[in-house]
Amino acid sequence: MSNAIGFQCVECARRFTVAEIEYVCTQCGGNLDVLYDYEKMATQFDKARLAADRNFTMWRYRALLPMEDSSPVPPLTVGWTPIYDCPALAAHFNLKQLFIKDDGRNPTASFKDRPSALAVVKAQEVGAQVITTASSGNAGCALAGMCASVGMPAVVFVPASAPAAKIAQLQIYGARVVLVEGSYDEAYDLCLQAARTYGWYQRSTGVNPFMTEGKKTAALEISEQLHWQVPDKIFVSVGDGCIIGGLWKGFCDLEKLGMIERLPQLIGVQSEKASALVDAINGDGVVRESAAATLADSINVGRPRDATKALRAMRESQGGGVTVSDEAIIESIGKLACATGVFVEPAAAAAFAGFAKWCEAGQIKADERVLLMLTGNGLKDIQAAQQALNAPLRVRPNFAEVERALADSGFSLPHAH
Ligand SMILES: *Cc1c(COP(=O)(O)O)cnc(C)c1O
Ligand SMILES: [Zn+2]
């Protein structure tokens, strides 16, 4: 039996039983929180049992997820992505400790494998024949990959402007891809309509309450991987707001279970060119539709679909929000890769850019421990990375040209023998 005992609407607080509802509040249309029996959960889940568990995937936290014990999970290895300690980078920013968590290491190379894997579990529990999602790219790739691994059809709605690598990735897994000649926000509305019309299982961020639960597994991992000493601050990029809301849910669950003693501050990072949620948190708290014109496609959202959970995470954690320029995002891709060996896509680099901006503004104390949540792999959008690069050396197959090119480039060479 699942430890989930019901839902509560984040807007009107109305409660529902598990059997009563599938997606949003029937009263007001608000998104739902999943409610749990934490006492029962605590009888199945503790630090000692976890320490003995050899299952290094997101499913090691099954007792904290809204699924039946007997439900099969997709065979791909999702979660337990590495956290790296980056002392040189920490010193550069005059900071006690800086960690990065590389979720680009997931099977389809983004954080979205976590919620999409759970979506497949839930769809199979209800006997769905087809799963659909709207996506800027990664959510669709993740769903397509997870569906391929269990032989379930997927229909994905993405803006036609999605990076070429993401579109190829979607297609290669065999998903039915609908390129929408419009924005992500428009693709989202079409997906809702298609799911209602055809009765498909709906994975889209926001309306599906379980996506927050899949996303919270990253917070559970951060806590366990850092030996239950959570960071002081976590920077994460924000589009719809589901990841930051999910992280907050995960930390709050662990606090309720008595497994962590304090909570981290969560700082949401958006591009100046798509900043609805950060504008709200730094302004009057009201989310207004914004322009959506950032090259960081994964966070190019004008109408965030999980706004209430995102604002709650930033507010309740006493974190905040910060915007960064697209130029800073592009520069951050190279800076982070050179300093750590981790190559990320623009949306993930935004977390680093936001961190650097807060550091430079004196908003982080030297004795703090900070973690950057890196949400997607750089190979998903090489065009963006190329904007940060100069042309490489180029020679005819002739060693004299190699020597000249290296010397001209200013690369330090030993004296020839
Ligand atoms: C989806 C995504 C985000 C933003 O997540 P939201 O839940 O929409 O806020 C950030 N980075 C990457 C790489 C993503 O794919
Ligand atoms: Zn409601």
Side-chain angles (χ1 to χ4, degrees):
M1 266 279 287
S2 161
N3 291 321
I5 51 170
F7 298 105
Q8 183 165 26
C9 174
V10 300
E11 306 299 342
C12 74
R14 190 185 162 130
R15 288 189 177 216
F16 301 91
T17 64
V18 174
E20 227 172 342
I21 204 167
E22 213 176 356
Y23 299 113
V24 293
C25 175
T26 48
Q27 192 84 352
C28 77
N31 293 348
L32 303 176
D33 274 322
V34 180
L35 307 175
Y36 291 97
D37 179 345
Y38 290 96
E39 279 175 27
K40 181 163 156 249
M41 209 182 247
T43 66
Q44 301 163 1
F45 185 79
D46 56 54
K47 291 181 187 176
R49 253 178 277 193
L50 269 180
D53 190 344
R54 303 295 304 162
N55 179 352
F56 293 109
T57 72
M58 65 182 274
W59 309 113
R60 68 196 273 101
Y61 306 111
R62 240 180 133 108
L64 277 65
L65 292 173
M67 57 193 281
E68 302 302 325
D69 300 332
S70 56
S71 291
V73 300
L76 300 174
T77 298
V78 182
W80 203 256
T81 55
I83 292 181
Y84 302 117
D85 193 349
C86 306
L89 205 50
H92 175 82
F93 285 100
N94 190 27
L95 196 68
K96 180 175 170 189
Q97 207 162 22
L98 181 65
F99 299 105
I100 57 175
K101 183 166 175 66
D102 181 12
D103 252 50
R105 287 276 298 267
N106 277 305
T108 77
S110 89
F111 192 106
K112 298 297 197 302
D113 283 326
R114 300 174 184 276
S116 293
L118 185 58
V120 166
V121 171
K122 297 308 292 178
Q124 288 183 322
E125 282 183 2
V126 298
Q129 301 299 307
V130 175
I131 313 183
T132 189
T133 194
S135 171
S136 55
N138 287 337
C141 289
L143 182 66
M146 293 303 139
C147 281
S149 79
V150 300
M152 183 177 288
V155 184
V156 179
F157 292 79
V158 287
S161 58
K166 293 185 185 179
I167 295 173
Q169 196 184 4
L170 281 169
Q171 289 188 282
I172 211 78
Y173 292 128
R176 184 55 50 100
V177 181
V178 183
L179 292 184
V180 178
E181 293 174 356
S183 64
Y184 166 66
D185 303 288
E186 289 166 316
Y188 194 102
D189 289 336
L190 285 178
C191 177
L192 290 182
Q193 198 177 347
R196 274 196 301 266
T197 305
Y198 303 119
W200 294 337
Y201 186 82
Q202 175 60 267
R203 175 231 170 271
S204 291
T205 294
V207 291
N208 187 317
F210 302 119
M211 298 305 90
T212 302
E213 303 304 305
K215 288 176 177 184
K216 83 181 179 187
T217 57
L220 308 179
E221 288 175 18
I222 290 169
S223 304
E224 188 181 2
Q225 289 171 312
L226 296 181
H227 311 290
W228 312 105
Q229 304 296 314
V230 301
D232 296 294
K233 288 186 168 67
I234 296 177
F235 287 81
V236 59
S237 64
V238 174
D240 279 312
C242 187
I243 293 182
I244 196 166
L247 290 174
W248 185 236
K249 180 74 179 290
F251 288 116
C252 290
D253 279 359
L254 290 178
E255 198 203 30
K256 287 199 182 83
L257 290 165
M259 295 176 73
I260 55 174
E261 273 155 30
R262 37 190 295 280
L263 293 161
Q265 295 176 292
L266 303 186
I267 297 103
V269 185
Q270 291 195 295
S271 163
E272 286 164 355
K273 293 181 169 173
S275 58
L277 288 169
V278 171
D279 289 349
I281 196 84
N282 290 338
D284 61 5
V286 178
V287 180
R288 297 179 182 82
E289 182 164 354
S290 76
T294 172
L295 59 77
D297 62 292
S298 298
I299 51 171
N300 195 24
V301 178
R303 252 196 298 156
R305 307 290 173 145
D306 221 2
T308 301
K309 288 185 191 178
L311 293 182
R312 211 168 55 183
M314 290 187 264
R315 207 176 278 137
E316 288 179 3
S317 74
Q318 293 166 22
V322 57
T323 58
V324 293
S325 68
D326 276 15
E327 293 71 34
I329 290 174
I330 290 292
E331 233 181 87
S332 295
I333 300 173
K335 280 190 190 163
L336 190 64
C338 291
T340 66
V342 176
F343 175 26
V344 299
E345 68 161 271
F352 179 74
F355 155 74
K357 190 171 170 182
W358 261 38
C359 247
E360 281 148 20
Q363 283 173 276
I364 306 179
K365 294 196 266 331
D367 65 351
E368 289 190 294
R369 295 162 72 242
V370 176
L371 183 137
L372 311 180
M373 185 68 239
L374 302 179
T375 43
N377 188 287
L379 291 174
K380 282 177 169 275
D381 187 359
I382 56 161
Q383 258 186 321
Q386 281 167 333
Q387 292 184 37
L389 301 171
N390 299 318
L393 304 182
R394 197 180 188 96
V395 298
R396 277 166 294 191
N398 167 333
F399 190 66
E401 285 205 20
V402 173
E403 291 193 289
R404 195 172 331 117
L406 282 171
D408 289 351
S409 75
F411 194 79
S412 138
L413 297 169
H415 289 293
H417 299 290

